[in-house]
Amino acid sequence: MPDNTPVPDSDQDSIRHRVTQVIDMLRPFIQGDGGDIEFVDLTDDAIVQVRLCGACVGCPGAAMTLRFGVEARLREV
């Protein structure tokens, strides 16, 4: 269960930077399959929101891409 404690602004900036680095690293792989990913928001309680675009919309593998690709990589950093 996520901790709903707000993240200080300075930490949010650091998290936001790391998230965009991970997304930039994964983007070529996702684009290679005709899709794309974009950073949407970082909530006050450090929940990252992204949007899959292009061929990823409606793709049955999109949930797997998010869970085992994007989320797993974000948890590593």
Side-chain angles (χ1 to χ4, degrees), residues 3-70:
D3 177 8
N4 291 333
T5 305
V7 176
D9 287 340
S10 60
D11 289 345
Q12 278 217 344
D13 290 341
S14 175
I15 293 169
R16 194 178 299 269
H17 178 72
R18 291 189 317 239
V19 166
T20 53
Q21 284 182 318
V22 168
I23 287 173
D24 289 345
M25 181 187 67
L26 295 174
R27 178 172 277 127
F29 299 103
I30 295 171
Q31 288 175 335
D33 288 330
D36 203 355
I37 185 170
E38 57 187 46
F39 174 73
V40 175
D41 196 15
L42 175 66
T43 66
D44 290 340
D45 50 347
I47 296 174
V48 175
Q49 298 173 344
V50 298
R51 178 180 299 121
L52 292 176
C53 310
C56 294
V57 176
C59 173
M64 297 291 280
T65 298
L66 285 174
R67 172 66 48 121
F68 297 109
V70 179

